[in-house]
Amino acid sequence: MAEPAHVVGSGLSELTGMTLRQLTGLDEPTLDAVVGRVVGQAGPWDRLWQEDANHGAARRAR
Amino acid sequence: MSLAPADVEHLVRDLAAGDPTPRDMRILRAVQLTRNQVLIEAVRRGVAGRGDGDGASAPFRTLTELQETAPEVMAELLVLPQVGCWAVESLRLLRRRQPPDLAYLAAFTAGAAIRAGRRPELTPGTYVPGLGTYVGNGWRGLPWLRAEADGLALAVRLEAGDPYLSGYGPRGAAEPGPWRPAMRVAWRMLTGRHRLVAEAIAAGFTTLVPLASRPGGKPASATSGWAYGAIALSPPPDAVTLAESLVHEIRHLVLGAVEDVVPLTDANDPRRWYAPWRSDPRPLGALLQGCYASMAITAFWRTEHACGPPELRERAETEYAHRRAITAEALRRAAESGSLTAAGETLVAGLRARLEPWLRERLSASAEELAGRRGAEHRARWLRANPGYTL
């Protein structure tokens, strides 16, 4: 198992450039922490940016 | 290419000072590629934890192998906007103990294998993300929109059918013909007078999701923080509006990618804010997104006012007067919120410093008056629609 990455910000910058195979070796706490910070409790359309609020999806703000 | 904290700080300072540089765009693309891969890995582990058998893990293994044998192909495909949307939706389903859509991943993997020179078995009628539909004896490929001017090329997929790019609103037809004339003119305009932002668009805009025309004809445009590279647009009334929309939306894609690396606001701040371009109160992060995009629109109209064709000057001056006023107002609210992170402070301070001299530029009294009236009318409408708020 790889050592936990030093987390600054979301922790994603420290993983930038890793391949899918390298990520399979990432320890669970580090992966969980990065995913948790990037995704939170979010669904796919909670980061929708548009000028008007007339779409139902746009009402769900990040 | 791990990013050091100094790289991230440099990136935020760049974005505060002006348009993202080609280097910034390369960094953001790499970040988004990694983000999608991290999310895919999280989905892989979630699927493995469900114990659905070896078949469920097969597409993940294939993707890993393909990345080793065809890294350039996979770098193009794994950063596609629908990959991020699929992955985050899959994680949401896994949290609810529901199975993710592995058929979609299998189709994506098959497409990647084809691009890498393999011949996977496909059922006719299968939609392959980013590629098109397999029809048995060949492909009904996705249409592309291409434009080239002043040595800078733009090439985007026209993607009207992907189920994971469906959240922008009712979609329009996957028919490139109506887009081409406006895109050609808009691209000439952008490469000629807005070179840096055109370079950012060429680097970051990969997928156009056509939206249906809205009742009343007001053009619609949107982006999602999970879909790097995708811009959703309704048919534009003219090429200038299309150019403005691209300038606006690329900024959302850029700042969304930055937010994945470093938070800009305190996400736990429950307050909602007046944004002069929206009818609903917005969280601070969304207000900041709007500020960053509105700053680009301000710069766009400032340049058009100064250097654009004579027939556009009046419109450009009015839009510039309006945009610089509402952007300054929204940036002041963000700056005074007390809930920006250090990176958010850097961004907002830089945007305000850039905007401040523009606010002193003399414009005609009629443009200023119209801008003032538009701003006042929006505030009045907003207050009526959102009782309990004061401005």
Side-chain angles (χ1 to χ4, degrees):
Chain A
M1 287 290 181
E3 289 294 311
H6 175 60
V7 172
V8 175
S10 67
L12 192 61
S13 56
E14 289 83 348
L15 307 181
T16 298
M18 288 179 77
T19 64
L20 284 167
R21 188 167 310 278
Q22 287 168 330
L23 287 170
T24 62
L26 194 67
D27 65 281
E28 203 78 31
T30 300
L31 184 74
D32 285 352
V34 174
V35 170
R37 287 191 200 97
V38 171
V39 177
Q41 296 301 306
W45 296 104
D46 70 328
R47 296 173 76 189
L48 186 67
W49 310 120
Q50 54 189 185
E51 290 222 350
D52 283 325
N54 297 330
H55 283 295
R59 293 187 186 280
R60 290 181 296 162
R62 189 185 186 197
Chain B
M1 185 191 70
S2 167
L3 287 178
D7 295 325
V8 177
E9 288 167 21
H10 188 271
L11 178 66
V12 174
R13 277 200 303 275
D14 265 5
L15 300 188
D19 291 305
T21 66
R23 178 177 182 274
D24 294 335
M25 294 305 291
R26 284 195 296 276
I27 288 173
L28 292 174
R29 183 187 168 91
V31 162
Q32 290 297 286
L33 175 61
T34 299
R35 185 203 67 179
N36 284 356
Q37 291 182 182
V38 164
L39 297 181
I40 288 169
E41 172 59 13
V43 175
R44 186 192 71 80
R45 293 185 192 194
V47 168
R50 284 175 53 84
D52 289 343
D54 195 50
S57 60
F60 296 98
R61 278 199 307 275
T62 306
L63 282 182
T64 302
E65 291 163 14
L66 286 169
Q67 191 178 46
E68 289 168 343
T69 56
E72 289 179 7
V73 167
M74 295 309 290
E76 180 195 332
L77 295 180
L78 287 168
V79 81
L80 283 177
Q82 51 268 60
V83 175
C85 291
W86 172 85
V88 78
E89 172 67 5
S90 298
L91 290 173
R92 189 181 67 81
L93 290 168
L94 286 164
R95 272 205 300 266
R96 295 179 178 182
R97 302 187 187 286
Q98 294 172 8
D101 179 3
L102 293 179
Y104 184 88
L105 181 66
F108 174 78
T109 305
I114 290 165
R115 288 283 310 275
R118 298 188 186 181
R119 291 190 169 195
E121 283 197 11
L122 272 175
T123 307
T126 301
Y127 165 74
V128 177
L131 207 55
T133 303
Y134 180 65
V135 290
N137 55 353
W139 288 89
R140 193 165 61 241
L142 293 178
W144 284 72
L145 276 172
R146 298 178 195 276
E148 183 162 357
D150 294 330
L152 191 61
L154 177 71
V156 297
R157 294 168 176 83
L158 191 61
E159 177 58 272
D162 193 295
Y164 289 91
L165 294 175
S166 64
Y168 301 102
R171 281 185 284 190
E175 174 50 58
W179 290 91
R180 286 191 175 120
M183 189 64 87
R184 267 197 299 272
V185 176
W187 193 241
R188 269 202 308 274
M189 180 181 184
L190 290 171
T191 55
R193 296 196 290 277
H194 308 271
R195 183 73 187 190
L196 285 176
V197 73
E199 287 175 356
I201 291 167
F205 176 30
T206 61
T207 304
L208 193 159
V209 180
L211 298 177
S213 296
R214 279 183 178 180
K218 191 183 177 210
S221 66
T223 50
S224 162
W226 300 117
Y228 184 74
I231 295 178
L233 296 168
S234 65
D238 55 62
V240 178
T241 302
L242 176 58
E244 181 196 17
S245 294
L246 294 178
V247 166
H248 169 180
E249 298 300 344
I250 195 69
R251 286 292 189 110
H252 284 310
L253 293 179
V254 164
L255 203 63
V258 172
E259 286 178 316
D260 282 339
V261 177
V262 60
L264 301 168
T265 61
D266 175 3
N268 295 317
D269 185 338
R271 292 175 294 172
R272 296 293 181 267
W273 304 84
Y274 171 63
W277 39 81
R278 293 278 299 209
S279 54
D280 53 343
R282 302 292 281 157
L284 185 59
L287 177 66
L288 188 52
Q289 272 279 348
C291 286
Y292 184 63
S294 192
M295 185 72 192
I297 301 171
T298 307
F300 172 82
W301 287 117
R302 179 173 180 265
T303 299
E304 287 304 307
H305 172 54
C307 314
E311 65 272 17
L312 198 59
R313 290 283 166 81
E314 188 178 333
R315 176 180 173 187
E317 184 179 40
T318 305
E319 292 295 336
Y320 176 40
H322 173 60
R323 274 289 161 183
R324 72 178 182 178
I326 63 174
T327 306
E329 177 190 359
L331 278 169
R332 178 180 57 75
R333 287 177 201 285
E336 293 172 356
S337 68
S339 288
L340 296 173
T341 64
E345 295 270 8
T346 300
L347 180 68
V348 169
L351 294 175
R352 294 185 88 192
R354 188 169 176 228
L355 186 60
E356 200 269 332
W358 297 0
L359 296 171
R360 294 196 298 272
E361 290 176 354
R362 286 185 67 86
L363 299 175
S364 70
S366 60
E368 293 282 27
E369 187 190 330
L370 189 54
R373 199 160 63 234
R374 279 172 72 179
E377 284 171 1
H378 189 277
R379 279 192 293 276
R381 272 199 312 276
W382 191 90
L383 285 169
R384 281 197 301 275
N386 299 287
Y389 283 86
T390 54
L391 294 177

